[in-house]
Amino acid sequence: MKNIRNFCIIAHIDHGKSTLADRLLEYTDTVSGKDMEAQVLDDMDLERERGITIKSHAIQMNFHRADGDYTLNLIDTPGHVDFSYEVSRSIAACEGALLIVDASQGIQAQTISNLYMAIENDLEIIPVINKCDLDSAKPEEVEDQIVDLLGCDPDDIIRASGKTGMGVEEILNAIVDRVPAPKGDPEAPLQALIFDSVFNSFRGIIAYFKIVNGTLRTGDFVKFVSTGKEYHADEIGVLKLDMSPRKELSAGNVGYIISGIKSSKEVKVGDTITHVARPCEKAIAGFEEVKPMVFAGVYPIETEDFENLRASLEKLQLNDASLTFQPESSAALGFGFRCGFLGLLHMEIVQERLGREFDMDVITTVPNVSYNVYDKKGNVTEVHNPSGLPEPTLIDHIEEPYIRSTIITQADYIGPIMTLCLSKRGELVKQEYISGNRMEITFDMPLGEIVIDFYDKLKSISKGYASFDYHLHDFRPSNLVKLDILLNGESVDALSTLTHADNAVRFGRRMCEKLKELIPRQQFDIAIQAAIGAKIIARETIKAVRKDVTAKCYGGDISRKRKLLEKQKAGKKRMKQIGSVEVPQKAFLAVLKLD
């Protein structure tokens, strides 16, 4: 056990984690020749197309040096704030972390939040300055930032380059020397923590685990503590580039187990595996339950695909534990699911993966956040969906979630960023210089305001320099109203939103204008109205497609023309009673891009 090292790589987006992982795998001959490609651990098409890591990936390397052979278990993690739950799970399976900082960009918001997560779990931190081969690199400046942040010795910081391979040997030696070996007793009752799982259509569900105590052998009879289900370990092994079977794994190792599990409900990330014959006394304290930030309805385009969508979401949830869902129905869209996501990028990725991996075409409604609604009797209910709001007469007050957000930026962009945050009802908590020209601004903001387009705007006004990180802070009372969209007097529940009273009129007007552009013309007039309760605050009318019925009357008495027009009018009126308005998918998404 003393020769095992478990570590993960943490950093902000685009600081070169996956490229540096490539060099480590190459140096240790884990991946060679024809298998080697750029970002070899990002095996999902989506990850390659977007150039981001979405899933954390575990892989084992063997490192040989004069004092012996070492087994290194590496977990490469995502850098985007929407996938921070992946990072927290990877950290739970490790004893050390490589903190990678880009030599040209310096420390960013996500670097700090991932670092705090690692420190809370008592991980040994090895700071690495990456991309030192760039002309724009400022290693001395970045070194000072890291020393300020970590309070470490400047000599502890390794300078490296994922592109040229500089500093790779130094990093591997530092991992062996500085990261502690896993603690645990191979003779104790088995305790293994599940930190991830994947679905394989031939072999069922494959769970990835880290053994904390005890030894697991092929064919052992094991049970999963929180579900109470018992299985035979048909195959166990370690994760190389592919799965590599082993006869036994003991404490400190990271591996996988295949035991023919068919149903996704039977595997929970954070669960403990133990032996049936000699169970452990208590389960390992897993990681905290994920708290979704953004909620949206996901509906199949064809109503008969409802069960297929449920199965697809369950399989996806195995691979992405931060996705939560529960069934709901909508008058406009039929049966579907209310899904919880960690952010808008997460929502986009889930939608894309449903299409690619499971061939599911879905409609997604306007994303919103969860609110606490207090009634006159003092009872509180959590509402994720505007249609679940009680009658306005029964509501005492509504509380909305506020986040504590940290923005790190160059001092040049402070003005526009302040304006943006204040326009989103933000309250400045503090601002301070980190080093040189870089500032950290802390704002309290309503989550509902940032969920739609805040991040994009922040990036564009700061020319991509500002980095943003947030966590849920508290709930505060707020003057919120439910804005309904009516088509010909019928409310479309999928388009209704909860919004602040000050923004409601402007938002309602913009939505009506946008829907007028997107809804195709019918044989009858369509009235689009925005309403708060019974009060209409904005209206647009889509004119009917008309045929010129008086074309055949040239000359003659006016009453002949009148009669034809009256006949047409009566037909239109009758059609309006039976005609329904089709709302295209673009209209649901248009609400996100109103600006």
Side-chain angles (χ1 to χ4, degrees):
M1 236 173 97
K2 65 180 193 302
N3 284 12
I4 297 177
R5 302 285 183 272
N6 298 321
F7 70 101
C8 59
I9 303 186
I10 55 177
H12 189 74
I13 314 158
D14 277 347
H15 280 204
K17 298 177 291 299
S18 301
T19 311
L20 199 63
D22 288 353
R23 297 293 83 76
L24 296 173
L25 296 175
E26 223 171 31
Y27 190 87
T28 55
D29 285 333
T30 308
V31 180
S32 58
K34 65 181 193 315
D35 292 334
M36 195 63 217
E37 51 181 348
Q39 285 88 36
V40 69
L41 292 180
D42 292 349
D43 52 12
M44 216 186 292
D45 293 345
L46 259 178
E47 293 181 311
R48 298 197 157 278
E49 282 167 30
R50 291 176 179 239
I52 56 175
T53 304
I54 294 169
K55 283 287 302 166
S56 48
H57 296 272
I59 189 164
Q60 192 178 84
M61 310 184 283
N62 296 321
F63 176 50
H64 174 75
R65 63 178 203 175
D67 60 353
D69 288 332
Y70 291 87
T71 301
L72 310 181
N73 289 312
L74 147 76
I75 303 181
D76 179 27
T77 65
H80 199 284
V81 64
D82 279 15
F83 304 113
S84 55
Y85 188 60
E86 287 285 325
V87 183
S88 75
R89 302 202 330 248
S90 309
I91 285 174
C94 294
E95 283 84 31
L98 290 182
L99 176 75
I100 293 184
V101 183
D102 186 325
S104 58
Q105 293 179 35
I107 285 173
Q108 303 283 341
Q110 196 60 28
T111 315
I112 295 177
S113 84
N114 286 343
L115 172 70
Y116 287 155
M117 221 188 289
I119 289 173
E120 273 168 30
N121 282 295
D122 294 337
L123 264 60
E124 177 63 39
I125 310 287
I126 301 175
V128 177
I129 300 178
N130 195 18
K131 306 192 186 180
C132 285
D133 60 316
L134 288 181
D135 297 340
S136 57
K138 307 185 285 271
E140 286 77 18
E141 202 176 297
V142 176
E143 205 165 87
D144 294 343
Q145 290 175 17
I146 295 176
V147 171
D148 285 351
L149 181 67
L150 280 176
C152 62
D153 199 292
D155 300 339
D156 293 343
I157 301 170
I158 301 169
R159 294 189 185 186
S161 160
K163 197 170 173 189
T164 62
M166 146 190 175
V168 169
E169 188 177 357
E170 217 177 316
I171 292 173
L172 288 166
N173 284 320
I175 291 164
V176 172
D177 297 337
R178 294 194 223 165
V179 174
K183 296 179 181 67
D185 177 5
E187 302 306 317
L190 176 69
Q191 259 186 326
L193 173 76
I194 299 178
F195 66 89
D196 204 354
S197 57
V198 292
F199 178 79
N200 180 311
S201 46
F202 300 106
R203 314 206 56 180
I205 291 157
I206 303 169
Y208 298 162
F209 59 79
K210 177 196 175 184
I211 301 183
V212 179
N213 285 312
T215 304
L216 177 62
R217 295 178 181 82
T218 307
D220 280 359
F221 196 35
V222 295
K223 88 167 178 193
F224 288 27
V225 176
S226 82
T227 57
K229 300 274 188 186
E230 300 177 355
Y231 307 99
H232 285 283
D234 299 338
E235 183 184 307
I236 60 168
V238 295
L239 297 153
K240 296 279 192 174
L241 195 53
D242 296 314
M243 292 183 289
S244 169
R246 294 280 186 276
K247 283 277 177 275
E248 71 168 33
L249 291 172
S250 61
N253 262 305
V254 173
Y256 69 89
I257 177 169
I258 300 176
S259 49
I261 305 170
K262 301 283 187 294
S263 158
S264 53
K265 292 187 182 68
E266 294 172 28
V267 176
K268 284 194 169 63
V269 167
D271 196 357
T272 304
I273 306 175
T274 188
H275 281 126
V276 175
R278 188 177 161 217
C280 55
E281 286 169 18
K282 61 177 197 304
I284 303 164
F287 5 88
E288 71 283 355
E289 278 291 306
V290 60
K291 294 185 185 66
M293 295 282 189
V294 179
F295 295 88
V298 173
Y299 293 86
I301 287 178
E302 301 295 334
T303 40
E304 59 264 25
D305 285 342
F306 175 72
E307 282 304 325
N308 295 349
L309 179 60
R310 184 199 295 273
S312 305
L313 282 169
E314 281 177 356
K315 286 174 190 169
L316 191 56
Q317 195 179 32
L318 279 174
N319 199 243
D320 180 354
S322 50
L323 171 69
T324 57
F325 63 91
Q326 62 204 51
E328 69 163 6
S329 64
S330 139
L333 298 169
F335 290 104
F337 294 92
R338 166 109 331 220
C339 297
F341 307 98
L342 295 185
L344 273 195
L345 176 71
H346 185 211
M347 174 174 140
E348 206 177 306
I349 295 290
V350 166
Q351 213 177 332
E352 188 94 348
R353 285 182 71 181
L354 280 172
R356 287 183 185 213
E357 295 172 26
F358 306 102
D359 287 334
M360 289 300 311
D361 283 336
V362 293
I363 289 179
T364 314
T365 63
V366 184
N368 49 32
V369 299
S370 61
Y371 298 94
N372 287 343
V373 179
Y374 289 82
D375 61 17
K376 297 276 168 61
K377 295 175 184 164
N379 301 328
V380 58
T381 44
E382 196 177 285
V383 173
H384 301 313
N385 191 347
S387 60
L389 214 59
E391 287 299 312
T393 49
L394 305 175
I395 297 174
D396 182 53
H397 67 280
I398 303 177
E399 288 188 347
E400 66 175 330
Y402 266 70
I403 54 163
R404 174 68 51 96
S405 63
T406 309
I407 298 170
I408 295 182
T409 174
Q410 296 187 341
D412 323 354
Y413 306 114
I414 281 291
I417 289 175
M418 290 278 202
T419 314
L420 173 68
C421 293
L422 293 169
S423 73
K424 298 282 185 190
R425 299 191 283 131
E427 297 165 15
L428 182 64
V429 179
K430 63 171 190 209
Q431 62 182 65
E432 55 192 2
Y433 276 94
I434 309 178
S435 63
N437 191 26
R438 294 157 61 76
M439 287 192 77
E440 179 178 7
I441 323 170
T442 308
F443 263 95
D444 279 353
M445 292 197 289
L447 181 60
E449 292 279 347
I450 69 145
V451 45
I452 291 181
D453 56 0
F454 177 80
Y455 192 67
D456 298 346
K457 285 184 177 170
L458 178 71
K459 281 290 180 198
S460 54
I461 58 178
S462 65
K463 299 195 171 53
Y465 278 112
S467 59
F468 173 69
D469 182 51
Y470 62 87
H471 58 267
L472 207 55
H473 189 53
D474 56 4
F475 278 80
R476 302 183 190 179
S478 186
N479 182 12
L480 296 166
V481 291
K482 181 182 170 193
L483 182 74
D484 285 313
I485 298 294
L486 311 173
L487 294 179
N488 281 345
E490 294 282 322
S491 168
V492 182
D493 56 354
L495 287 172
S496 58
T497 48
L498 273 177
T499 179
H500 196 264
D502 299 351
N503 304 339
V505 175
R506 193 177 80 245
F507 188 65
R509 191 169 296 136
R510 279 180 15 224
M511 266 184 79
C512 288
E513 287 164 4
K514 194 77 181 175
L515 288 172
K516 185 180 178 182
E517 292 169 25
L518 291 168
I519 293 177
R521 289 170 71 185
Q522 309 274 357
Q523 297 279 345
F524 49 89
D525 284 2
I526 302 172
I528 304 172
Q529 294 165 309
I532 297 173
K535 182 182 169 198
I536 304 291
I537 54 171
R539 169 175 173 138
E540 293 285 337
T541 307
I542 300 176
K543 284 294 181 198
V545 185
R546 297 186 73 111
K547 179 182 172 190
D548 188 358
V549 287
T550 57
K552 61 187 176 196
C553 297
Y554 42 92
D557 187 27
I558 184 69
S559 60
R560 289 177 61 202
K561 287 186 178 174
R562 257 290 47 89
K563 183 180 155 198
L564 286 166
L565 288 168
E566 289 297 329
K567 190 174 162 195
Q568 184 185 33
K569 191 173 170 184
K572 296 278 183 205
K573 192 173 175 185
R574 196 167 63 249
M575 191 171 253
K576 184 169 183 169
Q577 287 164 1
I578 57 164
S580 64
V581 184
E582 288 285 313
V583 184
Q585 160 74 359
K586 287 203 296 262
F588 295 109
L589 299 177
V591 188
L592 309 186
K593 303 186 174 70
L594 276 178
D595 296 338

